[in-house]
Structures are given as C-alpha cells and as structure tokens.
C-alpha cells in the first residue's frame, strides 16, 4: 500500500508542476492583457460610474446579457429621474457575483432591478458562476478569487482555455460584429447591436426540467432582506424572453416565479408581460434588437413609475 501511494505521489508531481506553470502563465498573460476591447472589462467602467455618481439617487440593473442588451437606460432616467447604471454583462458571472459587485455600493434611496436569466435560479452552478467568473477575476487582477473559483467549480481545464483566449487576443484585428468594451454607452448599456436585425432563429436549449434550487433562494432571501433593511428598493424583473421559447419553458418559469413568491420577493411583473415576438430578438432568446430594447425599456419605466 505504501509503495502504491508513493508511486501515485510521484506520478502526480509532474501534473502539479505542469498546472503550476500553466497557472503562472495565465496570471502573466492576464497581468499584461490589453483590456481596451475586452468585453468583460466593461465592468471596470460600470463600477467607475457607480462610484462617480456620489450621493445621487441611482437605479442599478443587475443580470446577465439580457440586461446589457435589453435596456435603454436613458428612457429609465428620463421617466424615473434616477441615475441608471446597467451592470449586466454575461450570465456566466453568476447572480451571486452580480449581487456582490454592487452590494457595498448600495445605500438608502437606491433602486435595484434584478433582471436575471431564468437559468440562474435552476442550478447552484449557474447561480455561483462558471468559467466566466474566473475570467472576470483575472481581468480585475484578483488572483486568489480566480484560483478559488477554478478549484471550487472543479474546472481546471478552463485554465488552458483562458490562456488560449489571451494568446489569440494578442495582435488580433477586431471584427466589426465582435462584442467589445468600446460599444457600451455611458450608462452601461450595450449598443453594438443597435444596427442589427433579427437572425430569425437561434440554437437555444430549453430550460432544464428541474425544480428551482432551494439553496439559491435561501441565499437570495438573506441578501435581499439585508439590502431592504438598508433602505434599498428591490424589484425582481422577468428577463425579456422570446415567445417561442416562453411557450416551451413556461412550466420551468412558473416554478421559478412561485419560488420567488415563497421567499416574499415575487416578480414585479408576470413573466408573460416581458415576452415579445421572436422578430424582436436577433441571436438569442434573451437578446433584443434595438426596436425591442425601446419597447421593453418603455414598458419597465412606465410600470416602475407607478410605484416609485
């Protein structure tokens, strides 16, 4: 037995050395990264705006790409007279991180709109983030958090993919249709798709037919209760969703809606109220074209005006 363990240890040493070298390479590349056009680096600009608004009453939007593609914050600003900051970037960051990113900034008088993708509520892994979150920590040079997330998600292969991503970026010409940091407006809305029309179809796996993750809602209830006690007004908004996918996913969405009601924070609007024709989406069941962005923003602004 001792001989077996010794041989196993000897066999693992080269693996450990290789992984350590790869991790060092990844940190070096991330440290040297030119973030001018990196989509995830838009978080740095959003956080800067959040800090610069000072004591002004603010409207914060958190969520994945549905949020960054789905709002014209100028419409919200003109209707609600609050300074908006659209923090939305990507579903892979996880809803837990999205709350943590704004948690310390929120204060009495702020309004928080939670426009999370439905997937966030169905699996603990989606709620706490995936490889995308590791990438975000690397962009922010938070090395310990990046390593912890990689280990915690048992996603060691992401280290090699993230190295490859950074190597490919070196000297790369930026394609016109690429999603980049420079195509966000001052509020944090993504505008690079404003001149695009609907693709008419896209590959979207249906929502998994599983019960919403109980741990997710326990954690959400704790976060929201604390923020509410601080004087923050919180609204859970259904994400904009294309009609064909809503028909297929209505059972899973209803379960999520009921779970939010059970913790005392129901959707501000019924999910069916944020369903739009497929022609309003260009490459995903969550991504609105310009016409859809205006339609959705006006609807949300009008509804919120009645409450705020």
């Amino acid at each position: 037995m001792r001989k077996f363990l010794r041989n196993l240890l000897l066999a693992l040493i080269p693996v450990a050395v290789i992984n350590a070298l790869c991790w060092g390479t990844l940190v070096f590349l991330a440290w040297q990264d030119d973030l001018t056009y990196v989509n995830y680096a838009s978080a740095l600009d959003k956080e800067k705006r959040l800090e610069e608004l000072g004591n002004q009453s603010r409207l914060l939007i958190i969520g994945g790409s549905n949020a960054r593609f789905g709002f014209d914050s100028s419409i919200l600003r003109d209707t609600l007279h609050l300074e908006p900051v659209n923090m939305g970037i990507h579903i892979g960051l996880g809803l837990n991180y999205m709350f943590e990113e704004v948690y310390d900034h929120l204060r009495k008088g702020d309004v928080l709109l939670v426009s999370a993708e439905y997937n966030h509520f169905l699996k603990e892994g989606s709620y706490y983030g995936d490889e995308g979150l590791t990438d975000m920590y690397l962009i922010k040079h938070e090395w310990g958090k990046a390593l912890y997330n990689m280990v915690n998600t048992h996603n060691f292969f992401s280290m090699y993919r993230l190295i490859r991503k950074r190597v490919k970026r070196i000297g790369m010409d930026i394609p016109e249709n690429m999603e980049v940091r420079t195509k966000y407006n001052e509020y944090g809305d993504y505008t690079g798709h404003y001149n695009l029309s609907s693709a008419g179809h896209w590959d979207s796996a249906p929502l998994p037919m599983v019960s919403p993750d109980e741990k997710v809602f326990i954690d959400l209830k704790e976060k929201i209760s604390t923020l509410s006690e601080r004087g923050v007004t919180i609204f859970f908004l259904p994400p904009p969703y294309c009609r064909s996918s809503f028909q297929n996913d209505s059972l899973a969405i209803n379960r999520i809606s009921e779970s939010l009601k059970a913790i005392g924070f129901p959707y501000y609007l019924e999910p069916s109220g944020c369903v739009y024709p497929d022609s309003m989406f260009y490459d995903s069941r969550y991504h609105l074209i310009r016409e859809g962005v205006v339609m959705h923003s006006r609807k949300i602004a009008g509804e919120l005006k009645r409450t705020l």
Side-chain angles (χ1 to χ4, degrees):
M1 185 64 179
R2 289 182 179 177
K3 184 178 180 180
F4 170 78
L5 292 175
R6 184 185 63 187
N7 291 337
L8 179 62
L9 179 62
L10 291 173
L12 289 175
I13 289 175
V15 176
V17 171
I18 290 171
N19 278 290
L21 290 172
C22 288
W23 172 250
T25 300
L26 179 56
V27 169
F28 174 78
L29 291 171
W31 182 267
Q32 301 295 323
D33 219 355
D34 179 1
L35 301 177
T36 305
Y37 297 100
V38 176
N39 183 43
Y40 275 24
S42 62
L44 304 176
D45 307 317
K46 296 167 188 275
E47 291 171 7
K48 181 180 179 182
R49 170 171 169 77
L50 187 56
E51 293 171 358
E52 289 178 345
L53 286 175
N55 294 323
Q56 299 179 70
S57 296
R58 302 167 300 178
L59 176 73
L60 278 66
I61 305 168
I62 63 173
S65 58
N66 91 84
R68 71 172 165 116
F69 283 109
F71 290 96
D72 182 335
S73 291
S74 65
I75 294 175
L76 300 177
R77 181 177 185 267
D78 293 344
T79 304
L80 303 173
H81 307 293
L82 296 167
E83 286 295 334
V85 187
N86 187 343
M87 302 297 295
I89 297 180
H90 191 267
I91 186 174
L93 299 177
L95 186 55
N96 179 66
Y97 169 82
M98 296 167 192
F99 267 98
E100 288 184 351
E101 188 178 24
V102 300
Y103 189 85
D104 290 337
H105 297 279
L106 287 164
R107 57 175 181 265
K108 185 176 181 180
D110 286 337
V111 177
L112 177 65
L113 304 184
V114 184
S115 179
E117 279 78 358
Y118 293 122
N119 310 65
H120 281 138
F121 302 105
L122 296 173
K123 291 184 178 180
E124 190 176 356
S126 297
Y127 179 74
Y128 285 104
D130 55 22
E131 181 177 316
L133 181 54
T134 302
D135 200 3
M136 179 62 81
Y137 285 140
L138 290 169
I139 285 169
K140 292 185 172 183
H141 295 177
E142 295 179 347
W143 316 118
K145 290 182 178 180
L147 182 59
Y148 175 81
N149 190 66
M150 191 181 299
V151 173
N152 192 48
T153 57
H154 310 293
N155 193 6
F156 294 100
F157 286 111
S158 65
M159 181 160 51
Y160 310 109
R161 289 191 292 269
L162 291 169
I163 289 174
R164 182 172 178 267
K165 178 189 289 189
R166 282 163 170 78
V167 170
K168 286 180 65 177
R169 278 207 295 256
I170 298 173
M172 180 181 68
D173 292 329
I174 306 300
E176 185 178 348
N177 63 344
M178 184 174 175
E179 296 174 9
V180 295
R181 179 182 184 179
T182 55
K183 293 182 181 179
Y184 287 82
N185 65 17
E186 62 179 302
Y187 305 111
D189 308 321
Y190 191 75
T191 63
H193 66 309
Y194 279 5
N195 64 338
L196 301 177
S197 57
S198 175
H201 62 86
W202 43 82
D203 295 325
S204 295
L207 294 177
M209 292 302 296
V210 296
S211 297
D213 194 302
E214 185 178 353
K215 293 179 181 178
V216 166
F217 289 91
I218 292 173
D219 189 66
L220 273 177
K221 185 175 182 178
E222 182 178 343
K223 282 182 169 64
I224 300 166
S225 297
T226 303
L227 290 173
S228 296
E229 291 172 2
R230 198 187 294 177
V232 179
T233 302
I234 304 165
F235 297 100
F236 272 82
L237 297 177
Y241 215 59
C242 72
R243 185 161 293 150
S244 61
S245 292
F246 186 78
Q247 292 169 350
N248 295 330
D249 296 331
S250 58
L251 180 57
I253 293 170
N254 286 338
R255 289 176 176 174
I256 293 168
S257 183
E258 291 302 314
S259 295
L260 285 171
K261 289 178 183 177
I263 63 170
F265 296 96
Y267 276 128
Y268 182 67
L269 299 174
E270 289 297 322
S272 58
C274 293
V275 172
Y276 304 100
D278 287 20
S279 60
M280 291 292 101
F281 297 79
Y282 81 93
D283 72 341
S284 160
R285 57 190 171 186
Y286 285 117
H287 296 169
L288 291 167
I289 61 173
R290 175 61 174 156
E291 184 181 351
V293 171
V294 173
M295 185 185 303
H296 184 60
S297 299
R298 286 176 175 169
K299 173 180 284 189
I300 298 304
E303 294 290 342
L304 290 175
K305 188 176 182 179
R306 299 172 187 169
T307 303
L308 295 173

